[in-house]
Amino acid sequence: AGIGKHVALDLARRNARTILACRSRERGQAAVEEIRAATGNPAVLLRLLDTGSLASVRAFARAVLREEKRLDVLVNNAGLTGLPFTITPEGLEQTFATNYLGPFLLTNLLLG
């Protein structure tokens, strides 16, 4: 939803192979189908990613590096706000992990 979905829609309109990295399979698949229908671009894909989990970030990056020939654009748009203080299973504060650490790690892993 929001900015990320609109960026993905614009990229798909430009006929780009577009990967939506989403926490929720259900919401992500709905967005993929909506973007495909609006653009006629079948190369809009869903991959699951929780930037609040460094294990999820590492798995996502490994899959992208294995499956994709190249990566031209990365849009880090994940973010949380207003949640109660929570610690992730990895011992990190949830908001900091999701908004900063996860995207930083993802970017660095995808740089190759």
Side-chain angles (χ1 to χ4, degrees):
I3 294 170
K5 183 176 172 185
H6 286 283
V7 170
L9 179 63
D10 186 61
L11 291 169
R13 278 194 177 122
R14 295 168 191 253
N15 207 34
R17 179 174 170 84
T18 306
I19 301 170
L20 279 69
C22 303
R23 277 189 306 261
S24 165
R25 183 180 303 276
E26 182 179 289
R27 289 179 56 201
Q29 191 59 45
V32 164
E33 291 170 14
E34 183 180 332
I35 292 169
R36 284 179 182 166
T39 65
N41 183 344
V44 178
L45 311 169
L46 174 64
R47 299 290 181 263
L48 296 181
L49 170 64
D50 177 0
T51 58
S53 163
L54 300 186
S56 176
V57 170
R58 286 185 175 94
F60 177 85
R62 275 193 306 272
V64 168
L65 292 171
R66 182 179 61 246
E67 297 169 6
E68 302 299 325
K69 290 184 246 176
R70 59 190 256 194
L71 179 65
D72 294 311
V73 176
L74 174 65
V75 178
N76 282 315
N77 187 56
L80 296 173
T81 186
L83 295 179
F85 181 83
T86 307
I87 299 294
T88 69
E90 295 160 313
L92 305 167
E93 194 277 321
Q94 182 72 53
T95 302
F96 186 60
T98 301
N99 295 356
Y100 301 100
L101 298 177
F104 179 82
L105 178 61
L106 179 61
T107 300
N108 281 276
L109 291 173
L110 292 176
L111 285 173

